Amino acid sequence: MKSSQPVVILIGAPNSGKTTLFNHLSGKNFKTVNYPGSTIEYHTSGFQSQFNIDAILLDSPGIISVIPNSPDEEVTINSLFEHPSFGKPDLIITTADASQLSRHLLLVKQLIECGFKVVVAITMNDILKDKSLAIDAEALGKLLTVRAVKINAKTGEGISELLEAVKSSLQEPAKEIKKEVCERWNDSENLIKTFSEIEEIENKVLRPLNPSQEQLEKANKELSSLILQEDENKILPESKTLKIDNFLLHPFWGLVIFFFVMALTFASIFWLALPLMNLVDYVFAFLNHAVIRELGHTWFSDFIAFGVIDGVGAVSIFVPQIIILFLILGFLEDTGYLARGAMLIDKPLSKIGLNGRSFVPMLSGFACAVPAILAARTIPNRRERLLTIFVIPLMSCSARLPVYVLLLSFLTPPDYYWLAGLGLAAIYVISILSSLLIAAIIKRFNNKIIKAKDDSSFILELPTYKFPKLSIVFHNAMISAKAYLSRAGLVILSISVILWFLTYFPDYNPNIPNINKASEEYFQLANSERIENSFAAMIGKVIEPVMKPLGMDWRIGLSLVPTFAAREVFVSSLALIFKVTAKDNQLQVSLISAMRNAKIAGSNEPLFTASKVVGLIVFFIFALQCMSTIAVSKQETGGWRIPLLQLFIYSTLAYALAFITIHGLQLFGIP
Amino acid sequence: MRTAANLSNGEKARITSVDLRHPSARRILEIGFTPGQEIELLNKSFFNDPLAFAVRGTIIAIRKDEAKSIIVE
Ligand SMILES: Nc1nc2c(ncn2[C@@H]2O[C@H](COP(=O)(O)OP(=O)(O)O)[C@@H](O)[C@H]2O)c(=O)[nH]1
Ligand SMILES: [Mg+2]
């Protein structure tokens, strides 16, 4: 599709200010990040109407050259020649950071020589000013034969000049784009040659802000521009960043701080997310109860209370953790710390076949595996990227939290709340350790499981430290949470409704003699009778043989079946199958007492015992129970091989380890 | 032959060449480590690998193995 509107695309190195400019021009508020390569999706918009430019504006992930090095760069570069939905762009606005002009001019020069119509937006002039330097944009434009404008998209300075340049350039005829010219930069000699041309340009356009008398005289004499003397300012980045790095990248303290930051990130789940989760739980339990109380026991009230309300509750309950984790990640990303974390952890990760660049994707895996797998695109080495994608589902994502909380509360006496917290911390540690262990094991068998050639590298720009704009961090966390909800919400809700249907029919009106139809006892008996004869029970009994070795019956088995589509539904499907009515307090509390009372069918043995509940926890640590993860893993690895292997290996592992745990614990006398 | 990997913290050096046989040579050049540039070793990670260099006004972290392909005066 190529619309009549011209297409303007923002291209530039990571952290050169593309998204900031995009937001300013479009009036939108998208993610600006300080971790190289983290914009992995394109954002599209028009120009704000006040700017009077009728064109489509695209943001893009950062690239430093027209020769791609990783899949995320490849996507950007391919779309320069032919964007999948907008065709060939009419104009490129390329951003170049004034404080590292010579590096960023490489891409600018490449784009111009390939034949693209280019307007150069020079950003970060304020940072250069702190070094008492400035760029002569007009001179730069002349030397490059394009329009170059100094801007600051944070304050709006220079934007009107930029818009003028965009308008004029759009009116000029397009030139022929020569892809073969672009490919010339595959050649290292050509790169070196281009850089020496760039250095010449840089010397002509970089000027001291307050030239000394001596320099002025010299310049006059030579009738040339103010050439800078070999200036130490030119190689050194901002001094504030250097000072902070001496601390955060300190050989010893750097590591201490790293572990402290990570510990704090996870602790926030306990301190912030858990209380909020309980609140969500409370609200939905209250609603469930209110519906039954107001509408009585009919199929309709049952559907609303147990199908819809509990289903929506199952969707909502981990939203707090998702938002909190995305907030923290966004904050760390924006400060510039995540790039340092990647550097600090590169060596140990490379030992097990991963890469420092696996760090950010794996960390986001604790919120949700789907964006995490997408973020793995920034890993250049295919083998390392596939391995990262392979282990991401082991990261304890937010959807598991409600399950762990329920099962841990079952295990620990109510007065020992801290014990459950300790258990949760242990689960997170186990999930991290097992992902590292599995990565290490796969590395041993590397060629059999992940086929790719080995040319591992770690080259990462460490951006200057910035204090994040909290409103943007917050806004982005909300966008991530919304993306998550729209992806998972419908699936989870549908599963809840289907499951409700399966547990309610066909024997929806069981006949129970000799009991007053209005009594609470009657409803309990009717409920269990209805479930015993339901479609769900029929399905459950088919899978019962699989559950037997674990000492579980069809009811747990049936609660597990839908979790393979989305593990989020475990708590609500348990509640549905054990027909828990919230008694004006948290669903969890009622569910736990129902679990304590449940007996294995036809016997007096308790269904849930300590060993089996621990076994269930182990099952959830390993099992890959998420349709969206499988879909995105297929998309990102380019086939069914990896996702099917993941599904098979993790499910087998989950079952086997749950079996070993349960019987091992029972050997030690734990019921 | 001295390489960027031999530098000690805070030491500056000028690049004479980059070993083009290194698999990451192109990226090393693209990111700004070209002959004639002055660089400074800023920080070493806990295991002395990767290393953070100042080059062309920014900080780039690269592995020791990659630093070995950057030959300095
Ligand atoms: N000091 C300064 N910071 C800027 C300027 N433009 C953008 N930034 C900041 O630089 C960081 C990276 O910007 P972003 O737009 O995300 O870069 P992108 O990776 O190219 O999209 C953000 O923290 C911005 O707030 C500028 O002109 N001056
Ligand atoms: Mg961006």
Side-chain angles (χ1 to χ4, degrees):
Chain A
M1 174 200 96
K2 170 102 190 167
S3 71
S4 54
Q5 272 177 303
V7 177
V8 178
I9 183 165
L10 278 157
I11 294 283
N15 284 305
S16 57
K18 292 179 296 301
T19 306
T20 313
L21 179 58
F22 177 84
N23 288 344
H24 192 96
L25 296 179
S26 65
K28 298 256 162 68
N29 209 0
F30 281 118
K31 194 170 177 150
T32 71
V33 283
N34 210 359
Y35 173 76
S38 23
T39 312
I40 46 171
E41 283 159 85
Y42 275 69
H43 290 299
T44 331
S45 174
F47 284 79
Q48 286 193 67
S49 55
Q50 67 191 75
F51 294 144
N52 258 326
I53 296 183
D54 184 27
I56 295 167
L57 184 65
L58 296 176
D59 192 10
S60 72
I63 51 173
I64 66 167
S65 147
V66 290
I67 310 291
N69 220 37
S70 58
D72 63 321
E73 295 176 357
E74 204 171 315
V75 173
T76 308
I77 291 162
N78 288 343
S79 69
L80 273 180
F81 297 99
E82 190 60 50
H83 188 278
S85 32
F86 299 104
K88 196 173 74 68
D90 297 275
L91 178 69
I92 295 177
I93 300 180
T94 162
T95 46
D97 177 343
S99 68
Q100 33 177 319
L101 189 70
S102 69
R103 288 185 61 234
H104 287 187
L105 279 186
L106 172 67
L107 179 65
V108 176
K109 223 165 170 318
Q110 288 177 332
L111 292 172
I112 295 169
E113 287 184 27
C114 294
F116 290 103
K117 222 197 273 177
V118 170
V119 169
V120 185
I122 305 159
T123 60
M124 317 279 173
N125 298 287
D126 47 326
I127 294 179
L128 192 64
K129 196 174 160 199
D130 291 342
K131 297 190 194 173
S132 301
L133 294 170
I135 282 169
D136 182 343
E138 207 177 316
L140 179 65
K142 283 211 179 89
L143 289 166
L144 291 172
T145 68
V146 296
R147 294 183 176 81
V149 185
K150 285 203 270 191
I151 62 155
N152 183 343
K154 283 173 40 171
T155 59
E157 273 168 82
I159 295 296
S160 50
E161 288 93 324
L162 178 72
L163 291 167
E164 283 315 312
V166 167
K167 279 179 203 161
S168 318
S169 298
L170 275 175
Q171 265 141 34
E172 288 165 6
K175 285 179 281 181
E176 190 201 347
I177 289 162
K178 298 181 219 93
K179 212 170 175 175
E180 52 312 335
V181 175
C182 283
E183 265 141 33
R184 286 212 311 252
W185 280 285
N186 246 323
D187 174 25
S188 302
E189 297 296 341
N190 194 36
L191 263 173
I192 295 175
K193 187 177 131 266
T194 307
F195 262 118
S196 66
E197 289 164 15
I198 288 172
E199 278 148 29
E200 249 170 64
I201 296 178
E202 193 193 26
N203 282 334
K204 287 186 188 145
V205 300
L206 198 58
R207 315 252 163 109
L209 264 186
N210 307 303
S212 63
Q213 201 54 39
E214 187 194 356
Q215 277 169 317
L216 278 174
E217 279 166 17
K218 184 167 166 268
N220 276 338
K221 241 191 300 183
E222 294 175 4
L223 284 173
S224 69
S225 55
L226 296 173
I227 293 175
L228 283 176
Q229 295 307 304
E230 218 17 273
D231 194 334
E232 104 144 356
N233 271 342
K234 254 168 77 182
I235 78 158
L236 278 185
E238 191 199 38
S239 60
K240 184 188 71 181
T241 295
L242 292 178
K243 286 199 192 105
I244 301 177
D245 266 347
N246 280 337
F247 198 54
L248 294 187
L249 291 179
H250 185 275
F252 174 71
W253 291 113
L255 212 64
V256 172
I257 296 168
F258 177 76
F259 281 114
F260 183 73
V261 170
M262 289 301 108
L264 213 59
T265 304
F266 289 117
S268 71
I269 297 172
F270 311 119
W271 294 335
L272 302 173
L274 278 183
L276 287 172
M277 228 177 82
N278 287 335
L279 186 71
V280 175
D281 185 31
Y282 181 84
V283 169
F284 283 94
F286 175 82
L287 288 177
N288 170 304
H289 186 73
V291 166
I292 298 289
R293 194 182 50 218
E294 296 304 320
L295 301 180
H297 287 272
T298 64
W299 74 265
F300 181 72
S301 66
D302 204 278
F303 171 71
I304 295 294
F306 294 99
V308 178
I309 291 180
D310 283 3
V312 176
V315 179
S316 321
I317 195 151
F318 29 74
V319 170
Q321 188 192 345
I322 288 247
I323 293 181
I324 287 166
L325 267 180
F326 277 130
L327 273 178
I328 294 174
L329 282 179
F331 186 85
L332 287 178
E333 217 169 314
D334 272 14
T335 57
Y337 187 69
L338 284 189
R340 270 81 183 174
M343 169 181 171
L344 289 171
I345 203 85
D346 174 64
K347 183 76 183 178
L349 287 184
S350 69
K351 289 264 182 259
I352 53 171
L354 299 169
N355 188 295
R357 285 182 183 252
S358 311
F359 168 65
V360 173
M362 284 168 79
L363 201 56
S364 8
F366 283 93
C368 177
V370 174
I373 288 176
L374 288 173
R377 281 186 191 177
T378 54
I379 304 170
N381 179 278
R382 183 169 160 81
R383 181 204 299 278
E384 289 167 345
R385 183 160 47 86
L386 292 183
L387 191 53
T388 306
I389 292 176
F390 203 92
V391 297
I392 280 174
L394 287 173
M395 304 287 116
S396 195
C397 70
S398 351
R400 286 166 164 117
L401 191 61
V403 178
Y404 293 147
V405 169
L406 173 76
L407 298 178
L408 285 170
S409 318
F410 178 91
L411 287 175
T412 49
D415 299 341
Y416 291 83
Y417 188 68
W418 57 273
L419 213 61
L422 212 61
L424 205 50
I427 290 173
Y428 276 79
V429 171
I430 291 172
S431 101
I432 295 172
L433 291 182
S434 54
S435 70
L436 300 181
L437 190 67
I438 286 180
I441 293 172
I442 293 179
K443 190 187 176 231
R444 295 236 126 209
F445 295 98
N446 45 27
N447 278 326
K448 293 207 186 66
I449 296 181
I450 288 172
K451 299 170 180 154
K453 75 173 167 122
D454 205 4
D455 54 355
S456 173
S457 79
F458 179 81
I459 302 176
L460 186 66
E461 182 183 342
L462 306 184
T464 51
Y465 289 105
K466 298 220 158 77
F467 195 82
K469 233 176 148 179
L470 294 178
S471 63
I472 292 188
V473 172
F474 193 75
H475 180 81
N476 288 322
M478 290 303 158
I479 290 185
S480 305
K482 251 198 236 155
Y484 167 78
L485 277 181
S486 63
R487 180 171 60 241
L490 195 63
V491 175
I492 296 169
L493 192 59
S494 323
I495 295 174
S496 302
V497 170
I498 293 172
L499 206 63
W500 174 84
F501 180 85
L502 292 177
T503 54
Y504 206 83
F505 294 98
D507 190 15
Y508 62 93
N509 194 10
N511 181 24
I512 296 160
N514 306 330
I515 292 186
N516 174 9
K517 287 213 169 196
S519 72
E520 191 59 32
E521 196 190 354
Y522 173 84
F523 294 117
Q524 301 240 325
L525 284 173
N527 276 337
S528 53
E529 185 74 13
R530 189 182 298 128
I531 289 189
E532 276 299 323
N533 300 326
S534 66
F535 293 123
M538 295 171 206
I539 301 170
K541 286 185 177 135
V542 176
I543 50 172
E544 185 143 31
V546 184
M547 303 309 295
K548 267 266 159 61
L550 302 179
M552 299 177 189
D553 71 358
W554 66 269
R555 285 173 293 179
I556 303 182
L558 188 67
S559 316
L560 286 176
V561 169
T563 64
F564 277 87
R567 50 171 76 83
E568 289 90 334
V569 295
F570 183 67
V571 175
S572 65
S573 65
L574 264 188
L576 192 58
I577 286 162
F578 289 93
K579 214 59 188 187
V580 175
T581 9
K583 302 222 167 43
D584 251 346
N585 52 23
Q586 294 175 342
L587 180 64
Q588 207 191 75
V589 179
S590 340
L591 185 49
I592 286 173
S593 75
M595 284 164 66
R596 290 199 201 285
N597 296 332
K599 302 273 185 285
I600 289 180
S603 77
N604 216 10
E605 267 180 71
L607 177 58
F608 290 93
T609 63
S611 62
K612 287 184 227 170
V613 170
V614 176
L616 272 176
I617 292 179
V618 170
F619 187 86
F620 271 87
I621 291 179
F622 291 95
L624 202 183
Q625 304 152 284
C626 180
M627 249 164 30
S628 323
T629 303
I630 293 175
V632 75
S633 167
K634 179 196 170 254
Q635 174 198 314
E636 294 297 299
T637 60
W640 280 109
R641 196 183 134 75
I642 301 269
L644 289 180
L645 268 174
Q646 284 174 309
L647 185 62
F648 176 75
I649 291 179
Y650 291 142
S651 307
T652 317
L653 208 57
Y655 188 84
L657 290 177
F659 182 86
I660 293 170
T661 307
I662 292 170
H663 292 281
L665 285 175
Q666 285 171 353
L667 272 185
F668 284 100
I670 294 165
Chain B
M1 191 174 60
R2 247 160 70 87
T3 69
N6 300 123
L7 300 181
S8 47
N9 272 359
E11 198 183 346
K12 291 195 184 77
R14 190 171 300 278
I15 301 174
T16 52
S17 66
V18 172
D19 180 1
L20 297 182
R21 285 163 309 179
H22 193 280
S24 308
R26 183 174 49 75
R27 188 41 49 126
I28 291 170
L29 289 168
E30 278 173 347
I31 207 146
F33 292 96
T34 52
Q37 282 298 309
E38 198 179 25
I39 57 170
E40 175 177 339
L41 178 64
L42 294 176
N43 300 95
K44 293 179 177 180
S45 189
F46 185 67
F47 307 93
N48 279 333
D49 187 13
L51 311 168
F53 291 95
V55 57
R56 294 177 184 264
T58 189
I59 312 173
I60 308 284
I62 58 176
R63 286 198 184 145
K64 205 171 182 168
D65 170 64
E66 283 145 349
K68 281 185 190 150
S69 75
I70 301 172
I71 298 153
V72 295
E73 265 166 17

